[in-house]
Each structure stands twice: as structure tokens, then as C-alpha cells.
């Protein structure tokens, strides 16, 4: 089964940091744009960040600009989301997803063909 697997979620205090990882299972993700999305309790899914297949283009939601950094290591078939200065409002399940040229539609999810099952991030004192 082709899917992404997220890891790195957990509980952290406000102001803390976490690094999420997204690994492709059963295929290589090197040719796909990869996006991070999140869904907080009782809210819809929102785009967080997106990175093009070669890493040359990155996009961020206004709410995370300057705090989150997306990167990828195609040699390891992995994409990362470094999250710093975390706030309680960042609490959500974080999903990674991928598709060909999908960042061009970001934050729309229509180009994302493969999804992970998510990892929970909780920011609380």
C-alpha cells in the first residue's frame, strides 16, 4: 500500500520545538511535491506548508511563517517540518501528503494523491 508515514509528534510546552518527519512507504516520494496539513479539534483541515519535489519552492501558512521550516532529503526519501516557538493554537493532528506539482494548488488539497494517517502535536502548559 502506497502511503506516507508521519512521526515526531508529541506533547510540548508553549515555546518549545518539535520536528516532524514524513516518510514514503512503498514508493519513492522524490518526484512529488509534499505538503503538511493539520486539523485541530472541531476545525477543518488547513494547509501548513508545502515543498516542491526538488526543494526549490516552499510555501507556508501565514500563521506559521517564521516559526516552521519545511525541508526534504530525497536521498532518505523523507520530508521534515521543524516547528519552533510552538503555541497552543498549533495543537492538531498533522498530516503529510504528496502529489505531482501539488504545491501549485496549495493550500488546496486536490493535488495531493497520497496521505499519511497523521501524528498528534499537543502544545500545552
Amino acid at each position: 500500500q502506497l502511503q506516507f508515514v508521519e512521526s515526531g509528534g508529541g506533547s510540548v510546552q508553549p515555546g518549545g520545538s518539535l520536528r516532524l518527519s514524513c516518510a514514503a512507504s512503498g514508493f519513492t516520494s522524490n518526484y512529488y511535491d509534499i505538503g503538511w496539513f493539520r486539523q485541530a479539534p472541531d476545525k477543518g483541515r488547513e494547509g501548513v506548508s508545502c515543498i516542491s519535489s526538488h526543494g526549490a519552492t516552499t510555501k507556508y501558512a501565514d500563521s506559521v511563517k517564521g516559526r516552521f521550516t519545511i525541508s526534504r532529503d530525497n536521498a532518505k526519501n523523507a520530508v521534515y517540518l521543524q516547528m519552533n516557538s510552538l503555541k497552543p493554537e498549533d495543537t492538531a493532528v498533522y498530516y503529510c501528503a504528496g502529489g505531482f506539482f501539488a504545491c501549485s494548488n496549495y493550500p488546496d488539497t486536490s493535488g495531493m494523491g497520497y496521505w499519511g494517517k497523521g501524528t498528534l502535536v499537543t502544545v500545552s502548559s
Side-chain angles (χ1 to χ4, degrees):
Q1 184 177 1
L2 307 182
Q3 66 178 20
F4 289 101
V5 179
E6 303 93 339
S7 61
S11 295
V12 65
Q13 293 185 339
S17 298
L18 284 174
R19 187 194 195 206
L20 304 184
S21 297
C22 170
S25 176
F27 67 107
T28 178
S29 62
N30 295 356
Y31 304 109
Y32 293 91
D33 292 359
I34 304 294
W36 284 97
F37 299 83
R38 66 186 181 186
Q39 187 163 15
D42 300 323
K43 292 188 177 180
R45 189 170 296 184
E46 66 169 338
V48 176
S49 184
C50 201
I51 187 166
S52 60
S53 59
H54 293 291
T57 300
T58 58
K59 296 182 178 180
Y60 296 93
D62 288 343
S63 60
V64 306
K65 280 180 181 177
R67 300 188 297 123
F68 291 10
T69 303
I70 192 170
S71 62
R72 67 189 302 158
D73 185 341
N74 284 345
K76 296 183 178 179
N77 207 24
V79 172
Y80 308 100
L81 185 69
Q82 178 67 42
M83 306 187 297
N84 298 329
S85 302
L86 282 161
K87 304 175 180 180
E89 51 263 44
D90 294 318
T91 295
V93 177
Y94 284 71
Y95 302 87
C96 69
F100 289 117
F101 308 111
C103 285
S104 61
N105 296 325
Y106 172 86
D108 189 277
T109 62
S110 60
M112 300 293 178
Y114 301 105
W115 287 81
K117 294 182 179 180
T119 185
L120 177 63
V121 171
T122 302
V123 185
S124 174
S125 56

